């Protein structure tokens, strides 16, 4: 059998297989695998560091958001308080001006009523004289004779209800 004739070469091939395998194993164990291990550890450390940093930044963002929302709420509250204060102040000023206007209007109304009453009194004083003149003239034209002013004055007094 020809396969068994090459048995001498098998021993040398197995020897070189073991030597090559040993050399490759030594190179892999001493050079390549430690580098791969360090690269993997470095990546793992970097990823875990990035995850920790991301978690820290997330917590900071949550804290900043909470502070922002608190600041917004405080600003709204102070703005509402300022608006209420301004509205109260404006209402007080409006009420004060309304009271001043009412007082001025009451004064002007009183002055106008006093003038009207004075004009009425003056008109009432002169109405008797005018009524006497008109009655004398009308009676003179109607009757064709002169009527004494004392008679006309007495008739006007009676017509005006004894005023004068």
């Amino acid at each position: 059998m020809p396969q068994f004739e090459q048995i001498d070469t098998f021993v040398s091939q197995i020897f070189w297989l073991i030597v090559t395998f040993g050399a490759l194993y030594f190179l892999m164990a001493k050079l390549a695998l430690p580098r791969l291990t360090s690269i993997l550890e470095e990546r793992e450390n970097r990823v875990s560091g990035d995850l920790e940093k991301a978690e820290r930044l997330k917590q900071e963002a949550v804290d900043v958001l909470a502070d922002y929302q608190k600041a917004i709420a405080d600003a709204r509250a102070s703005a509402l308080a300022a608006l209420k204060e301004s509205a109260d102040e404006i209402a007080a000023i409006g009420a004060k001006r309304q009271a001043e206007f009412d007082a001025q209007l009451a004064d002007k109304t009183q002055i106008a009523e006093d003038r009207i009453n004075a004009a009425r009194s003056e008109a009432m004083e002169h109405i008797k004289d005018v009524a006497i003149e008109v009655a004398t003239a009308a009676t003179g034209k109607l009757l064709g004779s002169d009527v004494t002013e004392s008679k006309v004055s007495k008739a006007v007094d009676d017509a005006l209800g004894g005023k004068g």
Side-chain angles (χ1 to χ4, degrees):
M1 278 200 175
Q3 294 93 353
F4 291 118
E5 290 177 9
Q6 295 179 356
I7 246 178
D8 315 338
T9 61
F10 281 141
V11 174
S12 70
Q13 286 178 355
I14 288 177
F15 172 76
W16 286 112
L17 174 71
I18 291 173
V19 169
T20 307
F21 180 77
L24 283 175
Y25 181 79
F26 178 78
L27 288 175
M28 290 298 281
K30 296 296 179 182
L31 297 175
L33 289 179
R35 286 183 185 167
L36 287 175
T37 305
S38 68
I39 289 171
L40 289 176
E41 286 177 359
E42 182 182 325
R43 283 186 184 174
E44 183 180 340
N45 290 338
R46 188 180 318 143
V47 167
S48 65
D50 288 347
L51 288 175
E52 289 173 4
K53 184 177 178 181
E55 186 64 33
R56 188 180 70 245
L57 290 175
K58 179 183 174 188
Q59 187 60 39
E60 287 177 12
V62 167
D63 294 342
V64 167
L65 179 63
D67 291 343
Y68 172 74
Q69 289 174 341
K70 183 180 182 293
I72 292 287
D74 292 345
R76 282 187 182 145
S78 67
L80 288 175
L83 283 174
K84 183 179 180 337
E85 183 180 323
S86 295
D88 292 344
E89 189 175 311
I90 288 171
I93 290 171
K96 180 182 174 186
R97 287 184 180 173
Q98 183 66 35
E100 290 173 358
F101 177 73
D102 288 345
Q104 288 176 352
L105 187 62
D107 290 344
K108 289 180 180 180
T109 303
Q110 185 62 41
I111 291 170
E113 286 177 359
D114 290 345
R115 282 190 207 159
I116 291 170
N117 288 336
R120 183 181 297 138
S121 296
E122 186 178 331
M124 290 305 281
E125 289 176 12
H126 294 296
I127 198 163
K128 183 178 177 185
D129 296 336
V130 172
I132 291 171
E133 287 179 25
V134 169
T136 304
T139 306
K141 288 207 176 214
L142 286 174
L143 297 177
S145 65
D146 287 333
V147 181
T148 63
E149 194 172 308
S150 63
K151 288 183 181 181
V152 173
S153 178
K154 184 173 184 328
V156 167
D157 284 341
D158 290 343
L160 291 176
K163 293 181 183 175

mmCIF file of all heavy atoms in Angstrom, residues 50-91:
data_model
loop_
_atom_site.group_PDB
_atom_site.id
_atom_site.type_symbol
_atom_site.label_atom_id
_atom_site.label_comp_id
_atom_site.label_asym_id
_atom_site.label_seq_id
_atom_site.Cartn_x
_atom_site.Cartn_y
_atom_site.Cartn_z
ATOM 1 N N ASP A 50 -18.240 56.379 29.224
ATOM 2 C CA ASP A 50 -19.228 57.143 28.463
ATOM 3 C C ASP A 50 -20.628 56.959 29.038
ATOM 4 O O ASP A 50 -21.414 57.911 29.106
ATOM 5 C CB ASP A 50 -19.200 56.730 26.986
ATOM 6 C CG ASP A 50 -17.956 57.227 26.257
ATOM 7 O OD1 ASP A 50 -17.245 58.089 26.826
ATOM 8 O OD2 ASP A 50 -17.709 56.755 25.124
ATOM 9 N N LEU A 51 -20.935 55.738 29.456
ATOM 10 C CA LEU A 51 -22.253 55.484 30.061
ATOM 11 C C LEU A 51 -22.398 56.243 31.377
ATOM 12 O O LEU A 51 -23.456 56.827 31.656
ATOM 13 C CB LEU A 51 -22.465 53.987 30.279
ATOM 14 C CG LEU A 51 -22.710 53.159 29.019
ATOM 15 C CD1 LEU A 51 -22.775 51.677 29.367
ATOM 16 C CD2 LEU A 51 -23.987 53.603 28.329
ATOM 17 N N GLU A 52 -21.341 56.253 32.186
ATOM 18 C CA GLU A 52 -21.388 56.998 33.443
ATOM 19 C C GLU A 52 -21.524 58.496 33.174
ATOM 20 O O GLU A 52 -22.297 59.195 33.840
ATOM 21 C CB GLU A 52 -20.125 56.723 34.268
ATOM 22 C CG GLU A 52 -20.061 55.337 34.856
ATOM 23 C CD GLU A 52 -18.720 55.044 35.519
ATOM 24 O OE1 GLU A 52 -17.857 55.961 35.576
ATOM 25 O OE2 GLU A 52 -18.532 53.906 35.977
ATOM 26 N N LYS A 53 -20.752 58.960 32.189
ATOM 27 C CA LYS A 53 -20.826 60.379 31.835
ATOM 28 C C LYS A 53 -22.217 60.721 31.312
ATOM 29 O O LYS A 53 -22.790 61.763 31.668
ATOM 30 C CB LYS A 53 -19.772 60.698 30.775
ATOM 31 C CG LYS A 53 -19.698 62.158 30.403
ATOM 32 C CD LYS A 53 -18.580 62.398 29.396
ATOM 33 C CE LYS A 53 -18.516 63.860 28.978
ATOM 34 N NZ LYS A 53 -17.450 64.086 27.981
ATOM 35 N N ALA A 54 -22.790 59.842 30.489
ATOM 36 C CA ALA A 54 -24.135 60.076 29.962
ATOM 37 C C ALA A 54 -25.161 60.095 31.091
ATOM 38 O O ALA A 54 -26.069 60.934 31.109
ATOM 39 C CB ALA A 54 -24.496 59.005 28.935
ATOM 40 N N GLU A 55 -25.019 59.194 32.050
ATOM 41 C CA GLU A 55 -25.942 59.160 33.189
ATOM 42 C C GLU A 55 -25.804 60.436 34.024
ATOM 43 O O GLU A 55 -26.800 61.024 34.452
ATOM 44 C CB GLU A 55 -25.655 57.925 34.048
ATOM 45 C CG GLU A 55 -26.632 57.723 35.172
ATOM 46 C CD GLU A 55 -28.053 57.451 34.684
ATOM 47 O OE1 GLU A 55 -28.236 56.832 33.627
ATOM 48 O OE2 GLU A 55 -28.985 57.886 35.384
ATOM 49 N N ARG A 56 -24.553 60.876 34.233
ATOM 50 C CA ARG A 56 -24.309 62.109 34.988
ATOM 51 C C ARG A 56 -24.903 63.321 34.248
ATOM 52 O O ARG A 56 -25.566 64.166 34.847
ATOM 53 C CB ARG A 56 -22.808 62.284 35.229
ATOM 54 C CG ARG A 56 -22.481 63.423 36.174
ATOM 55 C CD ARG A 56 -20.984 63.580 36.405
ATOM 56 N NE ARG A 56 -20.332 64.075 35.198
ATOM 57 C CZ ARG A 56 -19.441 63.409 34.484
ATOM 58 N NH1 ARG A 56 -19.073 62.195 34.839
ATOM 59 N NH2 ARG A 56 -18.903 63.932 33.399
ATOM 60 N N LEU A 57 -24.673 63.366 32.927
ATOM 61 C CA LEU A 57 -25.216 64.477 32.136
ATOM 62 C C LEU A 57 -26.743 64.442 32.120
ATOM 63 O O LEU A 57 -27.401 65.496 32.149
ATOM 64 C CB LEU A 57 -24.670 64.435 30.707
ATOM 65 C CG LEU A 57 -23.186 64.776 30.561
ATOM 66 C CD1 LEU A 57 -22.742 64.574 29.123
ATOM 67 C CD2 LEU A 57 -22.916 66.200 31.013
ATOM 68 N N LYS A 58 -27.297 63.238 32.082
ATOM 69 C CA LYS A 58 -28.761 63.108 32.125
ATOM 70 C C LYS A 58 -29.289 63.644 33.448
ATOM 71 O O LYS A 58 -30.286 64.386 33.479
ATOM 72 C CB LYS A 58 -29.160 61.648 31.949
ATOM 73 C CG LYS A 58 -30.650 61.418 32.000
ATOM 74 C CD LYS A 58 -30.991 59.946 31.884
ATOM 75 C CE LYS A 58 -32.480 59.734 32.078
ATOM 76 N NZ LYS A 58 -32.825 58.323 32.156
ATOM 77 N N GLN A 59 -28.628 63.287 34.546
ATOM 78 C CA GLN A 59 -29.053 63.784 35.856
ATOM 79 C C GLN A 59 -28.909 65.299 35.936
ATOM 80 O O GLN A 59 -29.786 65.989 36.466
ATOM 81 C CB GLN A 59 -28.241 63.111 36.973
ATOM 82 C CG GLN A 59 -28.723 63.445 38.356
ATOM 83 C CD GLN A 59 -30.166 63.023 38.583
ATOM 84 O OE1 GLN A 59 -30.605 61.986 38.138
ATOM 85 N NE2 GLN A 59 -30.920 63.869 39.261
ATOM 86 N N GLU A 60 -27.809 65.833 35.391
ATOM 87 C CA GLU A 60 -27.634 67.287 35.360
ATOM 88 C C GLU A 60 -28.732 67.947 34.540
ATOM 89 O O GLU A 60 -29.255 69.003 34.919
ATOM 90 C CB GLU A 60 -26.260 67.643 34.787
ATOM 91 C CG GLU A 60 -25.107 67.353 35.714
ATOM 92 C CD GLU A 60 -23.756 67.657 35.077
ATOM 93 O OE1 GLU A 60 -23.728 68.300 33.997
ATOM 94 O OE2 GLU A 60 -22.737 67.254 35.663
ATOM 95 N N ALA A 61 -29.092 67.325 33.408
ATOM 96 C CA ALA A 61 -30.160 67.875 32.570
ATOM 97 C C ALA A 61 -31.488 67.862 33.313
ATOM 98 O O ALA A 61 -32.260 68.826 33.236
ATOM 99 C CB ALA A 61 -30.272 67.081 31.272
ATOM 100 N N VAL A 62 -31.747 66.795 34.052
ATOM 101 C CA VAL A 62 -32.977 66.725 34.850
ATOM 102 C C VAL A 62 -32.965 67.821 35.915
ATOM 103 O O VAL A 62 -33.986 68.503 36.138
ATOM 104 C CB VAL A 62 -33.131 65.322 35.472
ATOM 105 C CG1 VAL A 62 -34.206 65.304 36.537
ATOM 106 C CG2 VAL A 62 -33.431 64.293 34.389
ATOM 107 N N ASP A 63 -31.810 68.014 36.562
ATOM 108 C CA ASP A 63 -31.699 69.066 37.584
ATOM 109 C C ASP A 63 -31.884 70.453 36.973
ATOM 110 O O ASP A 63 -32.582 71.308 37.533
ATOM 111 C CB ASP A 63 -30.347 68.984 38.299
ATOM 112 C CG ASP A 63 -30.205 67.710 39.132
ATOM 113 O OD1 ASP A 63 -31.234 67.082 39.425
ATOM 114 O OD2 ASP A 63 -29.052 67.359 39.471
ATOM 115 N N VAL A 64 -31.256 70.668 35.808
ATOM 116 C CA VAL A 64 -31.394 71.968 35.134
ATOM 117 C C VAL A 64 -32.838 72.201 34.718
ATOM 118 O O VAL A 64 -33.374 73.303 34.863
ATOM 119 C CB VAL A 64 -30.431 72.043 33.917
ATOM 120 C CG1 VAL A 64 -30.772 73.216 33.027
ATOM 121 C CG2 VAL A 64 -28.993 72.126 34.391
ATOM 122 N N LEU A 65 -33.490 71.150 34.217
ATOM 123 C CA LEU A 65 -34.898 71.275 33.827
ATOM 124 C C LEU A 65 -35.763 71.614 35.037
ATOM 125 O O LEU A 65 -36.647 72.478 34.957
ATOM 126 C CB LEU A 65 -35.384 69.986 33.166
ATOM 127 C CG LEU A 65 -36.853 69.965 32.737
ATOM 128 C CD1 LEU A 65 -37.099 71.027 31.668
ATOM 129 C CD2 LEU A 65 -37.243 68.597 32.230
ATOM 130 N N ALA A 66 -35.505 70.959 36.168
ATOM 131 C CA ALA A 66 -36.263 71.252 37.385
ATOM 132 C C ALA A 66 -36.026 72.698 37.827
ATOM 133 O O ALA A 66 -36.973 73.407 38.201
ATOM 134 C CB ALA A 66 -35.878 70.285 38.497
ATOM 135 N N ASP A 67 -34.762 73.140 37.785
ATOM 136 C CA ASP A 67 -34.463 74.534 38.139
ATOM 137 C C ASP A 67 -35.149 75.500 37.186
ATOM 138 O O ASP A 67 -35.678 76.533 37.605
ATOM 139 C CB ASP A 67 -32.947 74.779 38.129
ATOM 140 C CG ASP A 67 -32.234 74.058 39.259
ATOM 141 O OD1 ASP A 67 -32.913 73.645 40.228
ATOM 142 O OD2 ASP A 67 -30.991 73.903 39.161
ATOM 143 N N TYR A 68 -35.126 75.168 35.905
ATOM 144 C CA TYR A 68 -35.775 76.013 34.886
ATOM 145 C C TYR A 68 -37.273 76.103 35.137
ATOM 146 O O TYR A 68 -37.850 77.191 35.111
ATOM 147 C CB TYR A 68 -35.489 75.433 33.499
ATOM 148 C CG TYR A 68 -36.246 76.102 32.385
ATOM 149 C CD1 TYR A 68 -35.888 77.369 31.933
ATOM 150 C CD2 TYR A 68 -37.326 75.478 31.783
ATOM 151 C CE1 TYR A 68 -36.583 77.983 30.914
ATOM 152 C CE2 TYR A 68 -38.029 76.086 30.766
ATOM 153 C CZ TYR A 68 -37.653 77.330 30.324
ATOM 154 O OH TYR A 68 -38.343 77.937 29.323
ATOM 155 N N GLN A 69 -37.891 74.961 35.389
ATOM 156 C CA GLN A 69 -39.332 74.965 35.645
ATOM 157 C C GLN A 69 -39.657 75.734 36.920
ATOM 158 O O GLN A 69 -40.658 76.446 36.990
ATOM 159 C CB GLN A 69 -39.865 73.537 35.721
ATOM 160 C CG GLN A 69 -39.881 72.848 34.373
ATOM 161 C CD GLN A 69 -40.266 71.389 34.446
ATOM 162 O OE1 GLN A 69 -40.201 70.776 35.508
ATOM 163 N NE2 GLN A 69 -40.650 70.825 33.312
ATOM 164 N N LYS A 70 -38.796 75.622 37.938
ATOM 165 C CA LYS A 70 -39.006 76.381 39.170
ATOM 166 C C LYS A 70 -38.864 77.877 38.903
ATOM 167 O O LYS A 70 -39.653 78.690 39.387
ATOM 168 C CB LYS A 70 -38.016 75.927 40.242
ATOM 169 C CG LYS A 70 -38.213 76.620 41.584
ATOM 170 C CD LYS A 70 -37.190 76.126 42.601
ATOM 171 C CE LYS A 70 -37.385 76.761 43.944
ATOM 172 N NZ LYS A 70 -37.112 78.178 43.973
ATOM 173 N N ALA A 71 -37.846 78.230 38.106
ATOM 174 C CA ALA A 71 -37.641 79.647 37.769
ATOM 175 C C ALA A 71 -38.826 80.184 36.978
ATOM 176 O O ALA A 71 -39.281 81.309 37.221
ATOM 177 C CB ALA A 71 -36.346 79.814 36.979
ATOM 178 N N ILE A 72 -39.354 79.395 36.061
ATOM 179 C CA ILE A 72 -40.534 79.810 35.286
ATOM 180 C C ILE A 72 -41.731 80.005 36.215
ATOM 181 O O ILE A 72 -42.454 81.001 36.112
ATOM 182 C CB ILE A 72 -40.861 78.762 34.190
ATOM 183 C CG1 ILE A 72 -39.778 78.753 33.129
ATOM 184 C CG2 ILE A 72 -42.224 79.011 33.573
ATOM 185 C CD1 ILE A 72 -39.775 79.934 32.213
ATOM 186 N N ALA A 73 -41.933 79.062 37.121
ATOM 187 C CA ALA A 73 -43.058 79.175 38.058
ATOM 188 C C ALA A 73 -42.894 80.407 38.953
ATOM 189 O O ALA A 73 -43.866 81.139 39.191
ATOM 190 C CB ALA A 73 -43.164 77.909 38.909
ATOM 191 N N ASP A 74 -41.675 80.635 39.441
ATOM 192 C CA ASP A 74 -41.425 81.821 40.277
ATOM 193 C C ASP A 74 -41.658 83.108 39.479
ATOM 194 O O ASP A 74 -42.240 84.065 39.993
ATOM 195 C CB ASP A 74 -39.998 81.802 40.832
ATOM 196 C CG ASP A 74 -39.781 80.692 41.856
ATOM 197 O OD1 ASP A 74 -40.790 80.132 42.342
ATOM 198 O OD2 ASP A 74 -38.607 80.390 42.158
ATOM 199 N N ALA A 75 -41.190 83.113 38.234
ATOM 200 C CA ALA A 75 -41.373 84.304 37.394
ATOM 201 C C ALA A 75 -42.854 84.549 37.131
ATOM 202 O O ALA A 75 -43.320 85.691 37.166
ATOM 203 C CB ALA A 75 -40.624 84.136 36.073
ATOM 204 N N ARG A 76 -43.603 83.487 36.873
ATOM 205 C CA ARG A 76 -45.052 83.648 36.667
ATOM 206 C C ARG A 76 -45.720 84.186 37.919
ATOM 207 O O ARG A 76 -46.577 85.071 37.846
ATOM 208 C CB ARG A 76 -45.675 82.308 36.275
ATOM 209 C CG ARG A 76 -45.454 81.936 34.845
ATOM 210 C CD ARG A 76 -46.225 80.689 34.469
ATOM 211 N NE ARG A 76 -45.942 80.346 33.082
ATOM 212 C CZ ARG A 76 -45.861 79.134 32.629
ATOM 213 N NH1 ARG A 76 -46.054 78.102 33.433
ATOM 214 N NH2 ARG A 76 -45.596 78.905 31.356
ATOM 215 N N ALA A 77 -45.341 83.627 39.065
ATOM 216 C CA ALA A 77 -45.945 84.077 40.318
ATOM 217 C C ALA A 77 -45.629 85.545 40.576
ATOM 218 O O ALA A 77 -46.513 86.323 40.948
ATOM 219 C CB ALA A 77 -45.462 83.209 41.483
ATOM 220 N N SER A 78 -44.377 85.934 40.357
ATOM 221 C CA SER A 78 -44.019 87.341 40.598
ATOM 222 C C SER A 78 -44.681 88.247 39.564
ATOM 223 O O SER A 78 -45.096 89.366 39.893
ATOM 224 C CB SER A 78 -42.506 87.529 40.588
ATOM 225 O OG SER A 78 -41.978 87.293 39.301
ATOM 226 N N ALA A 79 -44.820 87.765 38.326
ATOM 227 C CA ALA A 79 -45.496 88.570 37.298
ATOM 228 C C ALA A 79 -46.971 88.746 37.657
ATOM 229 O O ALA A 79 -47.524 89.848 37.521
ATOM 230 C CB ALA A 79 -45.357 87.912 35.930
ATOM 231 N N LEU A 80 -47.609 87.676 38.116
ATOM 232 C CA LEU A 80 -49.013 87.790 38.525
ATOM 233 C C LEU A 80 -49.161 88.733 39.714
ATOM 234 O O LEU A 80 -50.108 89.528 39.774
ATOM 235 C CB LEU A 80 -49.584 86.415 38.855
ATOM 236 C CG LEU A 80 -49.834 85.494 37.663
ATOM 237 C CD1 LEU A 80 -50.282 84.116 38.134
ATOM 238 C CD2 LEU A 80 -50.878 86.104 36.735
ATOM 239 N N ALA A 81 -48.225 88.644 40.658
ATOM 240 C CA ALA A 81 -48.281 89.545 41.814
ATOM 241 C C ALA A 81 -48.088 90.993 41.369
ATOM 242 O O ALA A 81 -48.801 91.896 41.836
ATOM 243 C CB ALA A 81 -47.213 89.158 42.832
ATOM 244 N N ALA A 82 -47.151 91.214 40.444
ATOM 245 C CA ALA A 82 -46.923 92.577 39.944
ATOM 246 C C ALA A 82 -48.142 93.080 39.183
ATOM 247 O O ALA A 82 -48.533 94.250 39.324
ATOM 248 C CB ALA A 82 -45.693 92.606 39.049
ATOM 249 N N LEU A 83 -48.754 92.209 38.388
ATOM 250 C CA LEU A 83 -49.971 92.611 37.662
ATOM 251 C C LEU A 83 -51.107 92.948 38.628
ATOM 252 O O LEU A 83 -51.820 93.930 38.436
ATOM 253 C CB LEU A 83 -50.404 91.495 36.712
ATOM 254 C CG LEU A 83 -49.614 91.362 35.422
ATOM 255 C CD1 LEU A 83 -50.063 90.134 34.654
ATOM 256 C CD2 LEU A 83 -49.771 92.599 34.568
ATOM 257 N N LYS A 84 -51.261 92.119 39.661
ATOM 258 C CA LYS A 84 -52.321 92.384 40.632
ATOM 259 C C LYS A 84 -52.054 93.698 41.358
ATOM 260 O O LYS A 84 -52.970 94.503 41.555
ATOM 261 C CB LYS A 84 -52.405 91.233 41.636
ATOM 262 C CG LYS A 84 -53.545 91.410 42.634
ATOM 263 C CD LYS A 84 -53.621 90.257 43.578
ATOM 264 C CE LYS A 84 -54.698 90.345 44.595
ATOM 265 N NZ LYS A 84 -55.228 91.597 44.956
ATOM 266 N N GLU A 85 -50.792 93.911 41.730
ATOM 267 C CA GLU A 85 -50.436 95.158 42.410
ATOM 268 C C GLU A 85 -50.705 96.360 41.501
ATOM 269 O O GLU A 85 -51.264 97.366 41.942
ATOM 270 C CB GLU A 85 -48.963 95.117 42.810
ATOM 271 C CG GLU A 85 -48.500 96.321 43.588
ATOM 272 C CD GLU A 85 -47.028 96.220 43.963
ATOM 273 O OE1 GLU A 85 -46.564 95.116 44.264
ATOM 274 O OE2 GLU A 85 -46.361 97.267 43.972
ATOM 275 N N SER A 86 -50.318 96.239 40.240
ATOM 276 C CA SER A 86 -50.554 97.330 39.285
ATOM 277 C C SER A 86 -52.038 97.556 39.090
ATOM 278 O O SER A 86 -52.499 98.704 39.029
ATOM 279 C CB SER A 86 -49.896 97.008 37.944
ATOM 280 O OG SER A 86 -48.501 96.955 38.077
ATOM 281 N N ALA A 87 -52.804 96.469 38.977
ATOM 282 C CA ALA A 87 -54.252 96.598 38.793
ATOM 283 C C ALA A 87 -54.888 97.268 40.007
ATOM 284 O O ALA A 87 -55.761 98.136 39.861
ATOM 285 C CB ALA A 87 -54.876 95.223 38.544
ATOM 286 N N ASP A 88 -54.444 96.883 41.215
ATOM 287 C CA ASP A 88 -54.972 97.515 42.426
ATOM 288 C C ASP A 88 -54.611 98.999 42.464
ATOM 289 O O ASP A 88 -55.435 99.843 42.829
ATOM 290 C CB ASP A 88 -54.429 96.807 43.673
ATOM 291 C CG ASP A 88 -54.963 95.391 43.821
ATOM 292 O OD1 ASP A 88 -55.961 95.061 43.143
ATOM 293 O OD2 ASP A 88 -54.385 94.621 44.608
ATOM 294 N N GLU A 89 -53.374 99.303 42.081
ATOM 295 C CA GLU A 89 -52.924 100.700 42.075
ATOM 296 C C GLU A 89 -53.729 101.521 41.057
ATOM 297 O O GLU A 89 -54.161 102.634 41.344
ATOM 298 C CB GLU A 89 -51.436 100.737 41.736
ATOM 299 C CG GLU A 89 -50.797 102.086 41.907
ATOM 300 C CD GLU A 89 -49.298 102.010 41.666
ATOM 301 O OE1 GLU A 89 -48.633 101.125 42.224
ATOM 302 O OE2 GLU A 89 -48.802 102.872 40.904
ATOM 303 N N ILE A 90 -53.932 100.945 39.879
ATOM 304 C CA ILE A 90 -54.711 101.638 38.849
ATOM 305 C C ILE A 90 -56.147 101.826 39.305
ATOM 306 O O ILE A 90 -56.743 102.888 39.096
ATOM 307 C CB ILE A 90 -54.633 100.850 37.522
ATOM 308 C CG1 ILE A 90 -53.235 100.994 36.930
ATOM 309 C CG2 ILE A 90 -55.680 101.333 36.531
ATOM 310 C CD1 ILE A 90 -52.976 100.086 35.745
ATOM 311 N N ALA A 91 -56.708 100.799 39.954
ATOM 312 C CA ALA A 91 -58.077 100.916 40.461
ATOM 313 C C ALA A 91 -58.176 102.003 41.525
ATOM 314 O O ALA A 91 -59.132 102.783 41.552
ATOM 315 C CB ALA A 91 -58.540 99.575 41.027
#
